[in-house]
Amino acid sequence: QVDVVESGGGLAQAGGSLRLSCVASGSTFSDDAMGWFRHSPGKEREFVAAIGWRDGKTFYADSVKGRFTISGDNAENAVYLQMNSLKPEDTAIYYCNAAASADGFTWYAQYNYWGQGTQVTVSS
């Protein structure tokens, strides 16, 4: 299995900011893109953002466009998610994983293994 560690979550007020970090080893960063996904209890995991390792192109779910920014540091095997203008509906556990898309709009995780994630809680 891959080694993926997420960090940076915490409690924020609506309108606040958090910056998430993901550090990975193994096969995860051998893939073309890395992404952030989030999961709320009782709901399916959903795609948040992705970044291509080779071209640096970024993609975002409509729900976070204009608020979140994904970036990567290939040399450090790290990917980040700057989260601004947080909303209560952003509350979830956030995970990173290799990501792929057939059309550049719908994204899915490449690996069944998920790290521990990092909890983001946004209060009003």
Side-chain angles (χ1 to χ4, degrees):
Q1 64 183 28
V2 298
D3 183 9
V4 180
V5 179
E6 301 96 339
S7 63
L11 176 65
Q13 299 294 319
S17 298
L18 289 170
R19 188 170 190 262
L20 309 184
S21 298
C22 170
V23 180
S25 61
S27 63
T28 301
F29 283 84
S30 297
D31 297 284
D32 290 339
M34 284 292 295
W36 285 95
F37 301 80
R38 64 188 182 187
H39 174 74
S40 298
K43 301 182 183 298
E44 298 290 334
R45 285 185 176 88
E46 65 174 327
F47 167 75
V48 177
I51 183 168
W53 284 122
R54 288 190 288 272
D55 59 15
K57 192 171 184 180
T58 57
F59 305 86
Y60 299 93
D62 287 342
S63 60
V64 306
K65 282 182 180 177
R67 301 189 298 118
F68 293 6
T69 302
I70 188 171
S71 61
D73 186 339
N74 185 263
E76 300 294 331
N77 290 333
V79 64
Y80 308 97
L81 187 68
Q82 178 66 46
M83 308 165 64
N84 298 326
S85 301
L86 284 163
K87 303 175 180 180
E89 51 262 46
D90 295 319
T91 296
I93 303 176
Y94 284 69
Y95 302 87
C96 63
N97 207 316
S101 176
D103 57 13
F105 298 97
T106 302
W107 290 79
Y108 63 93
Q110 289 277 73
Y111 299 100
N112 291 327
Y113 171 81
W114 297 88
Q116 65 182 5
T118 185
Q119 176 72 52
V120 171
T121 302
V122 184
S123 64
S124 59

